[in-house]
Amino acid sequence: GAVVSQHPSRVICKSGTSVKIECRSLDFQATTMFWYRQFPKQSLMLMATSNEGSKATYEQGVEKDKFLINHASLTLSTLTVTSAHPEDSSFYICSAGQGGQPQHFGDGTRLSIL
Amino acid sequence: DAKTTQPNSMESNEEEPVHLPCNHSTISGTDYIHWYRQLPSQGPEYVIHGLTSNVNNRMASLAIAEDRKSSTLILHRATLRDAAVYYCILNGNDMRFGAGTRLTVKP
């Protein structure tokens, strides 16, 4: 079946570092990818919708200059957390899909900023 | 804002059926009803989806009300591995999650 690969699975880095997370659809072309963050014991919070070849649509309250999203191809979207700080520590998850079909989720990236 | 409402938690005994409800009174005609589940420290996993008719697959069944304002995910025989947070989502143009239902399965 369709698979979404998210990398890295875990990142620990110092405050001020920029971190890039990749989301790849391995056997299908994803016209739309979604990026989420999830805090402990909470639901997934949608951060942005990424459409191939166009600018991402960010949810209210999500800083687009802080969370840079690039969706340069139909199989790859990246999320860069720029100048990360401890409050950015979270579980980041991507999903990919085609039109209204079910989404396929990555295994998530646990980001810890010291 | 999420367009669905679910109970915060439910409990089931192992090997018994589980009915997980979801209300989506503002559903539009083009919205599919999707169910996902999430185990700790993992991304969500697709369970089932439907539009108007009831659906069955190897994981579960989905019963959709005639007016489509509610649906029920049915696990026919709960196992310990079914313990997870279950999310009901209207997959139209966005993928916003509600709080979901945390299912506990007791041996």
Side-chain angles (χ1 to χ4, degrees), chain A residues 31-33 49-57 71:
Chain A
T31 51
T32 305
M33 289 185 172
T49 302
S50 172
N51 295 301
E52 186 269 338
S54 63
K55 291 184 178 180
T57 301
H71 193 160

Side-chain angles (χ1 to χ4, degrees), chain A residues 2 96 100-105, chain B residues 32-39 43-50 55-60 62 73 86-87 89 91 95 97:
Chain A
Q101 294 303 305
Q103 292 287 310
H104 300 279
F105 289 82
Chain B
Y32 279 80
I33 302 159
H34 288 240
W35 284 81
Y36 298 85
R37 70 181 186 183
Q38 185 180 27
L39 279 67
E45 170 190 29
Y46 167 76
V47 178
I48 200 167
H49 78 290
V55 184
N56 299 298
N57 66 21
R58 64 176 180 81
M59 290 181 71
L62 176 60
L73 178 70
Y86 286 78
Y87 296 100
I89 300 171
N91 191 19
M95 282 285 296
F97 282 71

Side-chain angles (χ1 to χ4, degrees), chain A residues 7-104:
Chain A
H7 178 81
S9 59
R10 185 174 181 94
V11 179
I12 301 173
C13 57
K14 293 181 179 179
S15 184
T17 306
S18 291
V19 178
K20 180 184 285 188
I21 303 169
E22 292 188 348
C23 182
R24 294 180 183 272
S25 56
L26 298 184
D27 59 359
F28 69 100
Q29 294 184 329
T31 51
T32 305
M33 289 185 172
F34 297 93
W35 286 96
Y36 301 85
R37 64 188 297 181
Q38 185 176 33
F39 293 107
K41 299 191 184 301
Q42 294 186 21
S43 183
L44 286 77
M45 184 191 80
L46 180 65
M47 298 176 68
T49 302
S50 172
N51 295 301
E52 186 269 338
S54 63
K55 291 184 178 180
T57 301
Y58 289 82
E59 294 296 297
Q60 190 173 7
V62 178
E63 300 175 56
K64 59 183 178 183
D65 294 331
K66 173 76 172 177
F67 300 99
L68 302 178
I69 291 173
N70 183 283
H71 193 160
S73 77
L74 286 170
T75 60
L76 174 64
S77 177
T78 61
L79 167 67
T80 301
V81 183
T82 61
S83 187
H85 293 284
E87 59 265 28
D88 298 321
S89 298
S90 188
F91 191 50
Y92 292 85
I93 304 169
C94 71
S95 73
Q98 298 171 294
Q101 294 303 305
Q103 292 287 310
H104 300 279

